[in-house]
Amino acid sequence: MTLKDPNSEGQGIEDEQFMRAAFEEALVSQAAGEVPVGAVVVLNGEIIGRGHNRVVSDHDPSAHAEIIALRQAGQTLQNYRMPSASLYVTIEPCSMCAGALVHSRIQTLVFGAPEPRAGVVCSQRRFFESDFLNHRVAVRGGVLTEACGELMQRFFSERRSRIDPA
């Protein structure tokens, strides 16, 4: 899989606009003490689903930003399949979320920063290249990478300083 540069396909401005919306969702997560990840589902230029991490507050290990956004989009469409939609997320998805993107038939994933520990799009694995998948998800990475990555780094740095006062 080759990650496509969003600017190379004339997607830059639109990708940044929707990634900023996902980033706003990540700030909601952060304010609630959750890992700051945000996501939006977009169809025909409109946001049809929003999500931010709610794992801790919902006591739900599946309450990742991507899953919450897909659930809301499914309710909006009254359909669990979204073959013309795009999902924008601030951080490279984990395996659970990547699987949900395949099951929902999302057309395009756009992510901000890589997730070196658990990302399965390009960091730890290349999930979407798996032969067993019955749906292919197009991927664009590197949209607002610096801002998305800094938000995560700052969150974990602050968390570590509270846990380990040195």
Side-chain angles (χ1 to χ4, degrees):
M1 167 192 323
T2 302
L3 294 180
K4 298 177 183 173
D5 177 356
N7 296 317
S8 69
E9 297 182 18
Q11 294 289 316
I13 294 170
E14 185 173 280
D15 281 354
E16 281 192 21
Q17 171 191 348
F18 292 123
M19 189 60 73
R20 287 185 200 289
F23 191 85
E24 291 298 319
E25 291 293 324
L27 294 176
V28 173
S29 291
Q30 182 181 40
E34 300 271 2
V35 175
V37 179
V40 296
V41 178
V42 176
L43 180 65
N44 298 325
E46 283 188 47
I47 295 173
I48 60 168
R50 294 177 177 272
H52 54 271
N53 274 6
R54 297 190 338 215
V55 174
V56 175
S57 57
D58 286 3
H59 312 288
D60 180 355
S62 70
H64 288 199
E66 300 95 322
I67 303 297
I68 302 298
L70 288 169
R71 287 177 183 156
Q72 192 177 91
Q75 290 299 308
T76 298
L77 295 174
Q78 290 295 287
N79 195 335
Y80 70 100
R81 291 197 172 165
M82 305 161 211
S84 299
S86 297
L87 183 130
Y88 290 77
V89 62
T90 55
I91 300 297
E92 177 186 0
C94 70
S95 58
M96 176 183 68
C97 294
L101 293 175
V102 171
H103 288 293
S104 66
R105 305 297 195 266
I106 285 287
Q107 181 178 44
T108 305
L109 163 68
V110 182
F111 70 91
E115 207 300 273
R117 297 185 80 163
V120 299
V121 176
C122 61
S123 294
Q124 288 296 323
R125 297 284 184 269
R126 294 193 177 277
F127 178 81
F128 296 122
E129 293 179 8
S130 300
D131 291 337
F132 64 86
L133 296 177
N134 62 346
H135 173 73
R136 298 290 173 217
V137 176
V139 176
R140 290 194 299 273
V143 177
L144 300 182
T145 301
E146 191 172 312
C148 294
E150 283 178 8
L151 183 63
M152 289 287 281
Q153 288 175 343
R154 194 173 339 112
F155 175 83
F156 285 109
S157 176
E158 289 172 6
R159 178 181 267 185
R160 282 189 298 274
S161 70
R162 286 193 305 262
I163 293 170
D164 183 26

